[in-house]
Amino acid sequence: MLKEAPASDRAIRVHPRESGFGAEVTGVDLSRPLPPAALAAIRDAWAKHAVLSFPDQPLTLDELEAFTLQMGPFGDDPFIAPMPGRPNVLELRREPDEKAPNFGGGWHSDWSFQPAPPSATILRSEVTPPVGGDTLFVDAARAYEDLSDTMKAMLAPLRAIHSAGRPYGASGLFARETEKRTMQIISSAEADKTHPHPLVRTHPVTGRKALFVSPTYTVGVEGLTDMEADAVLGFLYKHLLQDRYRLRHTWKPGMLLMWDNRCTMHFAEGGYDGHLRVMHRTTVAGDVPV
Ligand code: SIN
């Protein structure tokens, strides 16, 4: 049974980064049911800043699940075996002796190949390495807004094709790897299915438009030849990955990060071979992109 929220939760503070992309949230205890005002403040900050970090939140797995459910129903996490007895929690664990590339080490928006990809991903750090292991984000809304009106008009009718095949397909990256991996990845022909989404999607809460493509999961653009799609997507990735749209999150143990998959891409950086890294991850169900 979760405890009642203390009065101190009324002192919730949102500290945005200078760019407005990303914010740190303090003065709230996520291990307890959130009072409506605190939940509203978190939702508001999340809509405004897209990536929220909550330091000093060493939640148990029960508390992580309970916090997630306050944000919305669990999303569906395919192709990775969940924690025993916890179908909605993934353990992202990399042992000190692992040499396989770290999980999440390619730019992506979580499960964008699903008909209704998760709105949020929530990641709580358990063990963090002394070096490396940062998570990087790009602000796909501001990147869209900075495009010329001519480019926006060209992109407006396009639908990008998403697939999990490159990483999780029957002959995808994980199926071919030979190095030891602690996380149990379930490669499958299912992953090779494709699903189209608007290349520019509109955020259901803020109404802001954002580029919704990624090098990991976008495999083409409807109506364009492969060469044409490569040219359009190649330009968009170069544009998105500029320093000015980036945010770097450096972890400490017991932090919780919640990001908005509808207007960001992220990348899990390596650089911590020889060290243990353990994170626990949930997702919140999302809408069909429009
Ligand atoms: C991911 O969800 O892509 C992994 C992020 C991380 O481990 O930093």
Side-chain angles (χ1 to χ4, degrees), residues 202-219:
T202 304
H203 196 285
V205 177
T206 64
R208 284 179 84 191
K209 292 183 175 179
L211 294 166
F212 192 56
V213 287
S214 77
T216 301
Y217 294 136
T218 306
V219 295

Side-chain angles (χ1 to χ4, degrees), residues 16-22 48-49 139 142 244-247:
R17 294 188 181 226
E18 209 177 304
S19 65
F21 179 51
K48 281 195 180 107
H49 307 297
D139 182 346
R142 193 151 79 81
R244 61 192 160 132
Y245 303 128
R246 289 199 195 202
L247 176 167

Side-chain angles (χ1 to χ4, degrees), residues 223-282:
L224 298 191
T225 64
D226 286 350
M227 214 170 143
E228 289 165 345
D230 284 352
V232 172
L233 294 171
F235 161 73
L236 292 176
Y237 299 148
K238 195 168 162 204
H239 176 66
L240 278 158
L241 296 176
Q242 294 177 86
D243 280 351
R244 61 192 160 132
Y245 303 128
R246 289 199 195 202
L247 176 167
R248 170 179 291 276
H249 175 78
T250 300
W251 291 93
K252 291 198 180 91
M255 273 183 153
L256 184 139
L257 198 65
M258 176 169 75
W259 63 84
D260 192 329
N261 288 303
R262 300 165 293 190
C263 54
T264 64
M265 281 199 300
H266 61 279
F267 178 99
E269 204 169 59
Y272 56 95
D273 282 5
H275 302 285
L276 178 66
R277 184 176 188 264
V278 184
M279 321 288 276
H280 292 114
R281 195 181 104 151
T282 57

Side-chain angles (χ1 to χ4, degrees), residues 92 103-104 108 110 123 134-135 251 259 266 268 277 279 281:
L92 312 190
F103 176 78
H108 63 285
D110 283 328
L123 191 60
D134 291 355
T135 310
W251 291 93
W259 63 84
H266 61 279
R277 184 176 188 264
M279 321 288 276
R281 195 181 104 151

